[in-house]
Amino acid sequence: MCTLLPTFHHSKLHHPRLPLNNYSSHSFHSSPLTLSAAPRTSQHHTIQIRALDAAQPYDYESQICTNFQNNAKLKIGIIGFGNYGQFLAKTITKQGHTVLAHSRSDYSETARKLGVSFFSDPDDLCEEHPDVILLCTSIISTKVVLSSLPTQRLKRSTLFVDVLSVKEFPKNLFLQILPREFDILCTHPMFGPESGKNGWKGLPFVYDKVRIGTDELRSNRCERFLNIFAQEGCKMVEMSCVDHDKYAAGTQFITHTVGRVLGKLGLQSTPINTKGYEVLLELVENTSGDSYELYYGLFMYNTSATEQLERLEMAFDALKKQLFGQLHDILRKQLFDSNGGLDDTSSTETKLEASAMKETIP
């Protein structure tokens, strides 16, 4: 393909099937066209069109297609480029979106390897006017980070998105701090670097369109962001922030609590592990991999978590009472048989244990 801009000259068009003297009757405004390129030399070279349907200098269909594809891509600023922010950035950049990142720590080298532009100063990132600000901070630090963000440097219709494991807290925080012109989308990808390392297909993605502008551009931008996860095969679940926290307290918080309790037991693998025991070991490994700050945030910023913790404690107490109650019944039969005493064949150890238990029985 010629890289020079074409110029049109008034001359006779050479057609391979018609002699020049016979072609003069076929006129294009009395001056057939030839395509020529004029290099900076003393000689003039002419490029002649060999077919009437030859490709024209400007392919408008291709331009429209390219513009559409470019408009479908987003410029996303990730605030908090730690483990989870990097995890999301890998897939977002793979889909062709532009990613900018900011974090308190210097992740410039990691960002470079991922094809992400890293900004140590949040003002510089906001000056790039991203379409979306994606908060990947911890639950506890979200308020401080959001309050310190120079939102005045952003476009007035910027879409703000969070990925926290609790939802009512960031929703209320966004509504309280952000100007009314900004759009708000609360989301929870219910997976992480470990559970999503082999792909996101079938994994739940919960979202709530808290405040999205009604005009087409803003609603389309929201859908394009959600499509990042839908395109990867996530199970898309639209749910209110209130309902999310209610369900999450009974699933995510309980899971983390049980895993951390078992972790304090110091469970070890054995030569005779059962399938169930393997599941428990895996649970301990998965939950211990997350920071205590995350676990504390699940408790502190979810109003339903306290209720679930109390229910868990009540369930454990009820189970203990059931076990010891049945044990008391067995010991009563041993202590108070038909002869009114212990069997003479009982071992000394058994007698001592029964005697100790007898003192506790009213």
Side-chain angles (χ1 to χ4, degrees):
M1 177 182 293
C2 180
T3 58
L4 298 175
L5 289 177
T7 57
F8 292 95
H9 297 270
H10 295 281
S11 61
K12 294 181 179 180
L13 182 66
H14 175 76
H15 193 282
R17 296 183 180 179
L18 294 175
L20 291 177
N21 58 349
N22 292 335
Y23 194 77
S24 58
S25 60
H26 300 274
S27 173
F28 294 91
H29 301 288
S30 302
S31 58
L33 303 177
T34 58
L35 183 63
S36 65
R40 297 178 180 178
T41 62
S42 58
Q43 297 180 346
H44 182 76
H45 298 280
T46 300
I47 300 176
Q48 296 178 325
I49 298 177
R50 294 296 183 180
L52 295 179
D53 61 347
Q56 297 303 306
Y58 300 101
D59 188 342
Y60 293 105
E61 182 180 356
S62 176
Q63 287 184 355
I64 293 173
C65 182
T66 301
N67 291 337
F68 176 80
Q69 291 176 349
N70 291 336
N71 291 334
K73 303 304 179 184
L74 295 169
K75 184 189 291 186
I76 300 175
I78 296 181
I79 307 298
F81 201 58
N83 191 32
Y84 199 75
Q86 296 169 25
F87 166 68
L88 293 180
K90 290 178 183 178
T91 298
I92 295 175
T93 54
K94 183 185 69 175
Q95 293 186 11
H97 300 284
T98 301
V99 177
L100 320 173
H102 163 72
S103 197
R104 291 175 297 179
S105 302
D106 184 8
Y107 291 111
S108 54
E109 182 61 24
T110 302
R112 185 188 63 80
K113 293 178 180 178
L114 294 175
V116 173
S117 299
F118 185 81
F119 297 83
S120 57
D121 191 331
D123 288 74
D124 294 335
L125 184 146
C126 292
E127 287 288 358
E128 295 292 323
H129 297 153
D131 303 303
V132 180
I133 291 292
L134 179 60
L135 284 178
C136 294
T137 57
S138 67
I139 299 174
I140 297 175
S141 64
T142 298
K143 184 175 182 180
V144 174
V145 173
L146 183 63
S147 300
S148 63
L149 201 63
T151 55
Q152 73 278 3
R153 298 183 182 276
L154 296 168
K155 292 184 294 186
R156 302 300 290 174
S157 62
T158 304
L159 171 63
F160 270 76
V161 184
D162 83 287
V163 290
L164 298 183
S165 299
V166 293
K167 292 274 65 73
E168 281 194 275
F169 167 67
K171 172 187 175 181
N172 295 332
L173 196 63
F174 280 167
L175 292 173
Q176 175 187 349
I177 295 178
L178 296 177
R180 295 180 60 86
E181 294 82 5
F182 289 126
D183 287 350
I184 299 172
L185 176 66
C186 289
T187 76
H188 182 195
M190 302 192 70
F191 50 89
E194 185 61 30
S195 56
K197 62 183 179 182
N198 296 321
W200 301 355
K201 186 175 182 180
L203 299 177
F205 180 87
V206 182
Y207 65 95
D208 185 6
K209 299 178 182 179
V210 176
R211 186 173 70 199
I212 304 297
T214 56
D215 65 87
E216 186 176 359
L217 289 176
R218 294 168 74 167
S219 60
N220 285 345
R221 178 182 58 190
C222 178
E223 295 303 324
R224 278 183 281 153
F225 179 83
L226 291 174
N227 191 55
I228 293 174
F229 299 88
Q231 186 174 327
E232 296 298 318
C234 289
K235 179 183 178 183
M236 307 297 288
V237 181
E238 186 168 12
M239 178 183 295
S240 70
C241 293
V242 174
D243 288 342
H244 168 276
D245 284 3
K246 186 184 302 181
Y247 288 125
T251 56
Q252 191 176 28
F253 177 70
I254 289 295
T255 300
H256 277 260
T257 300
V258 172
R260 288 186 174 272
V261 169
L262 294 175
K264 290 185 177 297
L265 292 177
L267 300 182
Q268 300 292 329
S269 181
T270 72
I272 54 172
N273 288 354
T274 62
K275 290 292 185 182
Y277 189 69
E278 292 285 354
V279 172
L280 293 182
L281 291 177
E282 185 178 354
L283 175 62
V284 172
E285 182 180 359
N286 288 341
T287 54
S288 62
D290 293 319
S291 66
Y292 178 80
E293 188 178 32
L294 169 63
Y295 176 62
Y296 180 72
L298 292 175
F299 171 74
M300 186 68 181
Y301 294 94
N302 189 334
T303 56
S304 300
T306 302
E307 178 187 351
Q308 291 297 329
L309 196 60
E310 291 174 349
R311 292 181 68 241
L312 181 62
E313 186 176 9
M314 291 172 58
F316 188 67
D317 287 341
L319 185 59
K320 284 198 303 183
K321 290 179 180 179
Q322 183 180 359
L323 288 172
F324 285 115
Q326 187 172 354
L327 178 61
H328 283 184
D329 292 339
I330 295 175
L331 288 177
R332 282 192 180 97
K333 291 180 182 179
Q334 293 178 351
L335 291 171
F336 306 107
D337 57 8
S338 58
N339 296 326
L342 290 171
D343 189 347
D344 293 336
T345 61
S346 299
S347 65
T348 303
E349 184 179 353
T350 303
K351 291 179 181 179
L352 290 174
E353 291 178 354
S355 176
M357 184 61 71
K358 184 177 180 179
E359 294 178 2
T360 63
I361 299 177

